[in-house]
Amino acid sequence: MTQIKPQPGILDIAPYVGGASKVDGVENVVKLSSNENPFGPSEAAKEAFRKASFDLNRYPSTDHAALRTAIGEVHGVNPEQVICGVGSDEILSLLCQAYAGPGDEVIHTEHGFAIYKISALANGAIPVEVPERERVTDVDAILSACTKKTRLVFIANPNNPTGTMIAEAELARLADKLPKKVMLVIDGAYAEFVEHYDGGKALVEKRDNVVMTRTFSKLYGLGGLRIGWGYAPAPVIDVLNRIRGPFNLSHAALAAAEAAVRDTAWAEKCRTDNARLRAWLAEALAEKGVPSDTSTANFILARFASQQEAEACDEFLKSEGLIVRRVAGYNLPHCLRITIGDEPSCRRVAHAIGQFKERAK
């Protein structure tokens, strides 16, 4: 038996499982399990990626200056306080690596994104799960869970997989009430889908214990390239850059992301189409007896009467070539998360769920 052991916490990690993309024996499937943009990246982003292919023999930029400048111009942030990573996941992991270790506590909510717990355990920290209130982040529950050992608080706003979010005033109250030694990390992977929401930008600029993260995987349609960014106080950025891999992002990924963030017209089109189809799908499912909370992201969380019904519906959808996401691992065994696809996909999944409900009568 091997005497070589990993660091404490690592073997407690349940490996992350991504959304399925195929069904055995079924062709022409519609994948609605990974919250991908059904319209894909902009033509500008694809052209930038094609041009970058001619320089694949060259090492990429280590400071990501061009992308950080573009992010700064489009989002109105100081590019010197921006860090880019392999998806926002890498930045979340770097925060745990830098600020949480053995004996420290990392708070996340009961239906929060799995990477929070994974990153805490990977660095020997103790993940602390706090309850939500009807699938919505509960600020008071988070504050009550804080102890002398708390180092980080992770919340997604909007949240995945619930689609719900708390108001900016509640975010500010949380930041104000947290102990000064605790860092609040606002995961804004879905922030771009919300009109007139800064994703935590103002809080970062007013406080020294707030970090905001974003991704190019959702609205911008670049999930396959794995690019994200974070906005934080300068001292935090300095710390993270000391442990970030110098060549963590490829030249092609950087070029595509820069073009994507500058193509604001495409981003607005995707945001508008998502909002329209999200409202339609939620209403269509509600009429079939499948409710969902008001979503502010690019998916809805469909609620069924029981885990058995949710799993049966999932199996029926698979037989129809429709792949959605079971979320029992997020303490929501009676729910299915359904990505907002294009209009034919939305109509197809609504029709199939209607068929399932009719057969179940």
Side-chain angles (χ1 to χ4, degrees):
M1 186 174 183
T2 180
Q3 298 299 306
I4 302 174
K5 303 293 184 183
Q7 293 288 349
I10 292 178
L11 292 181
D12 294 324
I13 295 172
Y16 183 83
V17 178
S21 59
K22 61 182 181 179
V23 179
D24 291 340
V26 180
E27 296 184 358
N28 301 318
V29 299
V30 174
K31 184 186 177 189
L32 301 173
S33 58
S34 295
N35 300 340
E36 297 154 334
N37 183 339
F39 309 109
S42 72
E43 288 301 320
K46 288 187 281 189
E47 179 60 22
F49 185 80
R50 283 191 288 266
K51 288 182 177 179
S53 69
F54 293 101
D55 293 314
L56 297 184
N57 59 315
R58 305 299 182 189
Y59 277 98
S61 159
T62 60
D63 64 7
H64 312 146
L67 177 55
R68 289 189 295 104
T69 296
I71 290 169
E73 292 174 0
V74 172
H75 290 281
V77 298
N78 180 356
E80 296 300 316
Q81 292 176 234
V82 171
I83 183 172
C84 300
V86 184
S88 53
D89 292 4
E90 183 184 29
I91 298 164
L92 299 174
S93 296
L94 288 174
L95 286 164
C96 278
Q97 184 180 344
Y99 294 101
D104 294 330
E105 294 178 348
V106 175
I107 289 176
H108 63 93
T109 65
E110 65 176 315
H111 306 309
F113 187 36
I115 199 68
Y116 311 146
K117 180 177 181 180
I118 290 172
S119 295
L121 288 170
N123 290 283
I126 303 166
V128 177
E129 181 179 294
V130 302
E132 296 181 11
R133 184 177 300 171
E134 294 296 316
R135 298 167 300 282
V136 178
T137 297
D138 187 336
V139 168
D140 291 317
I142 292 172
L143 293 173
S144 296
C146 288
T147 70
K148 292 180 179 180
K149 297 180 179 180
T150 306
R151 294 294 177 267
L152 293 165
V153 171
F154 285 110
I155 67 167
N157 205 49
N159 190 37
N160 170 33
T162 63
T164 60
M165 69 181 294
I166 58 174
E168 291 176 80
E170 277 292 272
L171 275 179
R173 183 168 75 88
L174 176 58
D176 286 340
K177 298 292 185 181
L178 281 176
K180 298 303 180 186
K181 64 179 178 59
V182 176
M183 185 180 295
L184 172 61
V185 183
I186 304 170
D187 179 352
Y190 300 92
E192 282 91 356
F193 292 102
V194 185
E195 293 283 357
H196 310 300
Y197 171 52
D198 73 359
K201 169 180 172 287
L203 290 178
V204 173
E205 294 171 345
K206 293 177 182 177
R207 294 166 174 80
D208 61 5
N209 67 330
V210 180
V211 175
M212 173 186 79
T213 64
R214 298 286 191 93
T215 186
F216 283 90
S217 297
K218 305 304 179 185
L219 181 72
Y220 295 107
L222 294 176
L225 290 183
R226 308 305 303 126
I227 319 155
W229 59 280
Y231 186 50
V236 176
I237 295 296
D238 176 63
V239 168
L240 298 185
N241 275 326
R242 291 171 187 269
I243 58 176
R244 173 181 63 83
F247 299 109
N248 61 329
L249 287 173
S250 72
H251 172 58
L254 289 165
E258 182 184 350
V261 76
R262 291 190 182 281
D263 194 342
T264 55
W266 180 255
E268 183 58 33
K269 176 193 181 300
C270 292
R271 182 185 300 110
T272 300
D273 286 349
N274 175 79
R276 174 177 60 83
L277 292 168
R278 181 181 63 203
W280 181 88
L281 182 58
E283 183 176 352
L285 294 188
E287 289 174 354
K288 303 176 192 305
V290 181
S292 60
D293 297 312
T294 300
S295 173
T296 52
N298 67 335
F299 58 87
I300 63 172
L301 184 70
R303 301 200 307 275
F304 294 83
S306 65
Q307 179 173 357
Q308 181 181 13
E309 185 186 27
E311 291 178 352
C313 183
D314 182 43
E315 291 300 323
F316 177 75
L317 292 176
K318 286 179 183 177
S319 71
E320 295 292 311
L322 295 161
I323 306 174
V324 300
R325 186 70 179 264
R326 294 187 189 184
V327 284
Y330 287 94
N331 300 314
L332 293 162
H334 62 297
C335 299
L336 297 176
R337 193 190 68 188
I338 306 172
T339 300
I340 306 303
D342 57 15
E343 186 162 340
S345 299
C346 289
R347 291 188 177 279
R348 185 172 163 186
V349 76
H351 177 70
I353 290 176
Q355 286 183 306
F356 168 79
K357 296 292 284 188
E358 283 295 321
R359 294 183 181 189
K361 288 182 179 179

